[in-house]
């Protein structure tokens, strides 16, 4: 897999769909949902961490073990820490504070928007970044930001959209696995966040406004018209290809203008909790030492989720041990674990943006732009297709995971072999006939030969009778040699689960009560991304939005 693929939230692994009804697609989702529900039930059987935290306090400060409270698999990387994720004190006066701030933000990506909100209110803010570079996954994404709900760019393009319509789209993507009240708020506030990025220097063009998610798929068009919801930041002279750096550098510049204290190589180690169970400060690693930073108004957790923690992926996700994680290498679930150690609940931990790593690109576009297309199909161990291969990458990936043993093979012929990268060629299996190929890869010979025969007949007739695929990727596989590639599921940057939050993005305990002064945003927060990813730019726009709203609530209550 090339680097150019790795950090693009949706595109490049698979591309925009423009297809008719596909009932089999929806049926496959139902079967996959049943399996995933089993994992959610395990998450609900959790102990009252907050009550145990207070009960285990010894003297003026009690130590709470990350292994007991962080829900990480024993012996794994998530537990291999020389510090706890939370410590409880009777009062702030009992702690020796090395530094003080009004607001502490854990993570320098989308959380910077919250830091800016606090700085605009005249508060002292400290932003803690684990990595040497600023930005995390927010700085690595594809350069797209949410632009739905009736933005100025949509109006300029002649697109009629509004928050009500946008909320229906977000809800359709969630498929019942998100907090509907939060979706209503995001549908209203995401357009404001886009305008905020414009106000700090963002320059967007209608030429780069496009379908970034499943807008054109049947389950979405059933409730709302297909509307372009994503804006790609145009490349410039320095950056010849689109990149998230172009957006995030505007946010960093605004934070620096407001004198926000951003500290790299400063990982947050644990929360310091007051007698009410809420954070009063953060323990931070500074070189070889630990320092205590007081947070008088609160803490915002926005550390980028757990996509780079293979142990947590394996613990929470179906076939998690098979996932190839892509994103910021230090997005290892620190914020989630700190929240859990403070007694927080988690939701939707089994879901993520799931794409397939394929040898031949799927679809006909990348980031809304036409590109060369190559015919191929995806089959399961029965040798049968199971999806319109041109659907959105997350749709294709989720359905691939739903196949027997999560096994998917990409099948193509000599006409498409030119699209295979040098890195993938050693893993491509070749045969002189479809029957021989089926035997080599261990799928049903009868199933695969019938599938290819039907495809070739449909191609001759000009209509895909099974999945209604159209365009240049729909074509016969009739030119030997034939090839197969084991498509592997990728958890790309965006993990959907996280700490349970309310509509103010305040973290909730396992008793469904707000934890005082603790807020979460983006991929540290759960309940706002459900089953399907709404499209590139959702995580970026969502994190900025939640950070701004969460910190606004934090400082209004303090």
């Amino acid at each position: 897999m090339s680097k150019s693929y790795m950090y693009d939230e949706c595109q490049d692994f698979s591309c925009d769909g423009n297809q008719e009804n596909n009932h089999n697609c929806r049926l496959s989702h139902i079967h996959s949902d049943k399996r995933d529900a089993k994992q959610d039930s395990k998450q609900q059987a959790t102990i009252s961490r907050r009550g145990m935290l207070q009960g285990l306090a010894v003297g003026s400060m009690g130590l709470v073990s990350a292994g007991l409270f962080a829900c990480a698999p024993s012996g794994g990387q998530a537990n291999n820490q020389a510090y706890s994720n939370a410590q409880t004190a009777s009062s702030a006066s009992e702690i020796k504070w090395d530094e003080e701030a009004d607001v502490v933000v854990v993570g320098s990506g989308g959380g910077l928007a919250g830091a800016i909100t606090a700085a605009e209110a005249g508060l002292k803010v400290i932003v803690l970044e684990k990595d040497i570079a600023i930005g995390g996954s927010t700085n690595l994404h594809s350069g797209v930001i949410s632009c739905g709900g009736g933005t100025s760019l949509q109006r300029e393009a002649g697109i009629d959209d509004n928050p009500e319509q946008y909320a229906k789209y977000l809800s359709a993507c969630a498929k019942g696995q998100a907090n509907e009240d939060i979706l209503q708020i995001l549908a209203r506030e995401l357009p404001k966040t886009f305008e905020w990025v414009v106000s700090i220097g963002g320059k967007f063009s209608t030429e780069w406004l496009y379908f970034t998610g499943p807008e054109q798929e049947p389950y979405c068009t059933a409730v709302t018209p297909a509307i372009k919801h994503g804006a790609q930041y145009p490349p410039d002279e320095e950056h010849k290809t689109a990149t998230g750096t172009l957006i995030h550098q505007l946010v960093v510049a605004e934070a620096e203008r407001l004198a926000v204290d951003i500290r790299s190589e400063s990982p947050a180690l644990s929360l310091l909790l007051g007698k009410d169970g809420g954070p009063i400060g953060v323990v931070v690693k500074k070189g070889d030492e630990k320092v205590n930073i007081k947070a008088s108004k609160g803490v915002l957790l926005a550390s980028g989720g757990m996509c780079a923690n293979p142990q947590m992926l394996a613990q929470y996700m179906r076939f998690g041990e098979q996932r190839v994680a892509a994103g910021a290498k230090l997005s290892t679930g620190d914020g989630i674990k700190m929240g859990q150690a403070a007694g927080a609940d988690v939701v939707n931990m089994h879901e993520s943006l799931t794409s397939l790593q394929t040898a031949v690109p799927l679809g006909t576009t990348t980031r809304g732009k036409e590109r060369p297309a190559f015919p191929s199909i995806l089959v399961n161990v029965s040798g049968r297709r199971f999806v319109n291969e041109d659907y959105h990458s997350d749709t294709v990936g989720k359905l691939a995971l739903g196949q027997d043993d999560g096994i998917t093979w990409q099948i193509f012929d000599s006409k498409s072999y030119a699209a295979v990268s040098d890195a993938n060629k050693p893993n491509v299996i070749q045969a002189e006939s479809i029957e021989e190929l089926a035997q080599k890869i261990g799928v049903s010979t009868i199933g695969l030969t019938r599938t290819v025969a039907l495809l070739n007949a449909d191609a001759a007739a000009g209509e895909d009778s099974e999945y209604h695929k159209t365009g240049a990727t729909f074509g016969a596989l009739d030119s030997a040699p034939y090839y197969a590639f084991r498509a592997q599921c990728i958890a790309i940057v965006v993990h959907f689960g996280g700490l349970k939050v309310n509509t103010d993005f305040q973290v909730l305990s396992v008793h469904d009560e707000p934890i005082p002064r603790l807020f979460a945003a983006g991929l540290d927060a759960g309940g706002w991304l459900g089953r399907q990813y709404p499209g590139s730019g959702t995580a970026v726009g969502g994190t900025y939005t939640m950070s701004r709203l969460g910190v606004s609530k934090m400082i209004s209550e303090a």
Side-chain angles (χ1 to χ4, degrees):
M1 179 176 60
S2 66
K3 270 190 175 179
S4 63
Y5 287 1
M6 185 167 291
Y7 301 118
D8 191 340
E9 291 172 344
C10 291
Q11 309 302 323
D12 290 335
F13 290 96
S14 174
C15 301
D16 314 325
N18 184 15
Q19 313 299 335
E20 301 299 325
N21 291 332
N22 188 331
H23 300 294
N24 291 331
C25 178
R26 279 177 275 185
L27 288 172
S28 296
H29 278 300
I30 293 171
H31 294 305
S32 185
D33 285 342
K34 290 179 180 178
R35 284 187 290 266
D36 292 335
K38 293 180 181 179
Q39 295 204 26
D40 260 356
S41 65
K42 292 179 182 179
Q43 293 172 213
Q44 302 307 319
T46 181
I47 59 176
S48 172
R49 300 180 182 89
R50 184 175 174 188
M52 291 186 69
L53 277 167
Q54 294 169 343
L56 286 173
V58 179
S60 64
M61 181 176 292
L63 192 65
V64 180
S65 165
L68 180 60
F69 294 99
C71 294
S74 61
Q77 173 184 339
N79 263 347
N80 187 20
Q81 303 173 11
Y83 54 86
S84 64
N85 287 128
Q87 297 174 348
T88 303
S90 298
S91 68
S93 61
E94 297 176 356
I95 299 174
K96 178 183 178 300
W97 298 108
D98 299 291
E99 297 183 64
E100 296 190 16
D102 296 304
V103 176
V104 173
V105 177
V106 179
S108 67
L112 277 186
I116 289 170
T117 299
E120 288 173 336
L123 301 178
K124 181 179 179 181
V125 190
I126 294 177
V127 178
L128 303 172
E129 172 55 51
K130 185 177 182 181
D131 207 348
I132 190 171
I134 300 300
S137 293
T138 305
N139 202 37
L140 296 173
H141 72 92
S142 58
V144 183
I145 189 168
S146 299
C147 187
T151 60
S152 57
L153 189 65
Q154 286 180 310
R155 291 192 295 272
E156 183 182 342
I159 295 173
D160 183 17
D161 197 9
N162 56 65
E164 292 75 23
Q165 200 161 243
Y166 197 22
K168 290 179 181 178
Y169 172 72
L170 295 175
S171 181
C173 292
K175 296 180 180 289
Q177 291 181 212
N179 183 323
E180 289 291 333
D181 292 333
I182 291 178
L183 296 184
Q184 292 289 332
I185 290 171
L186 290 176
R188 184 180 69 242
E189 297 294 332
L190 278 167
K192 297 177 184 178
T193 294
F194 176 80
E195 305 301 346
W196 172 70
V197 173
V198 171
S199 74
I200 60 174
K203 301 185 188 306
F204 295 88
S205 167
T206 57
E207 178 188 354
W208 293 86
L209 183 64
Y210 70 105
F211 298 110
T212 66
E215 293 98 337
Q216 297 168 296
E217 293 181 25
Y219 68 91
C220 291
T221 57
V223 298
T224 181
I227 292 174
K228 295 178 179 179
H229 290 137
Q232 175 78 60
Y233 203 91
D236 60 15
E237 288 301 316
E238 181 181 354
H239 303 87
K240 300 299 183 182
T241 58
T243 168
T245 302
L246 296 171
I247 295 177
H248 197 58
Q249 67 186 6
L250 301 173
V251 180
V252 173
E254 181 67 5
E256 291 175 342
R257 185 184 72 81
L258 293 167
V260 172
D261 187 352
I262 308 173
R263 303 182 183 182
S264 60
E265 297 183 284
S266 300
L269 302 182
S270 59
L271 298 175
L272 292 165
L273 306 180
K275 60 183 179 181
D276 60 0
I280 54 178
V282 181
V283 180
V284 182
K285 188 172 186 293
K286 185 176 182 180
D288 295 328
E289 299 180 349
K290 298 176 185 177
V291 298
N292 297 330
I293 299 179
K294 185 178 181 180
S296 62
K297 296 188 181 297
V299 175
L300 173 67
L301 299 174
S303 66
M306 62 178 226
C307 208
N309 188 320
Q311 284 77 23
M312 291 182 78
L313 292 178
Q315 178 191 6
Y316 288 111
M317 303 185 70
R318 186 167 189 261
F319 299 123
E321 68 281 356
Q322 299 177 20
R323 302 294 183 98
V324 177
K329 64 181 183 294
L330 296 182
S331 291
T332 52
D334 297 355
I336 294 173
K337 289 182 286 184
M338 281 189 278
Q340 288 179 295
D345 202 355
V346 292
V347 292
N348 214 31
M349 294 292 280
H350 63 279
E351 295 284 17
S352 77
L353 168 59
T354 304
S355 291
L356 283 178
Q357 180 189 0
T358 57
V360 173
L362 303 177
T364 61
T365 62
T366 296
R367 301 172 188 168
K369 304 300 180 184
E370 292 292 330
R371 58 161 171 74
F374 303 91
S376 72
I377 58 173
L378 298 172
V379 301
N380 54 28
V381 293
S382 297
R384 295 295 306 275
R385 292 172 69 196
F386 54 87
V387 67
N388 180 330
E389 293 87 358
D390 284 353
Y391 273 166
H392 183 252
S393 58
D394 195 29
T395 301
V396 175
K398 292 281 197 325
L399 291 176
L401 279 179
Q403 303 309 303
D404 290 345
D405 298 323
I407 294 175
T408 295
W409 289 93
Q410 184 180 35
I411 309 296
F412 52 99
D413 66 9
S414 60
K415 296 190 296 293
S416 296
Y417 185 75
V420 180
S421 69
D422 289 340
N424 281 329
K425 284 179 180 177
N427 298 315
V428 171
I429 297 172
Q430 178 180 326
E432 292 304 314
S433 69
I434 293 296
E435 292 82 359
E436 181 189 358
L437 189 65
Q439 293 168 3
K440 281 188 172 183
I441 64 177
V443 306
S444 168
T445 302
I446 294 175
L448 187 59
T449 53
R450 286 179 176 175
T451 294
V452 174
L454 176 59
L455 176 74
N456 291 349
D458 283 350
E463 181 179 357
D464 181 0
S465 63
E466 280 198 294
Y467 293 99
H468 311 288
K469 185 161 70 169
T470 61
T473 60
F474 173 52
L477 303 182
D478 56 6
S479 179
Y482 300 95
Y483 301 94
F485 179 83
R486 171 75 182 273
Q488 189 166 4
C489 280
I490 313 291
I492 308 176
V493 183
V494 185
H495 173 253
F496 293 175
L499 302 171
K500 188 176 183 181
V501 295
N502 61 19
T503 53
D504 293 315
F505 305 104
Q506 190 167 12
V507 176
L508 299 178
S509 73
V510 292
H511 301 296
D512 218 34
E513 298 171 350
I515 297 176
R517 300 176 302 282
L518 185 60
F519 293 76
L523 307 185
D524 280 356
W528 66 287
L529 293 170
R531 174 64 176 170
Q532 299 293 141
Y533 192 52
S536 291
T538 304
V540 177
T543 308
Y544 287 154
T545 300
M546 297 163 73
S547 296
R548 296 174 73 205
L549 294 176
V551 170
S552 292
K553 180 67 174 179
M554 180 194 301
I555 62 182
S556 71
E557 287 194 337

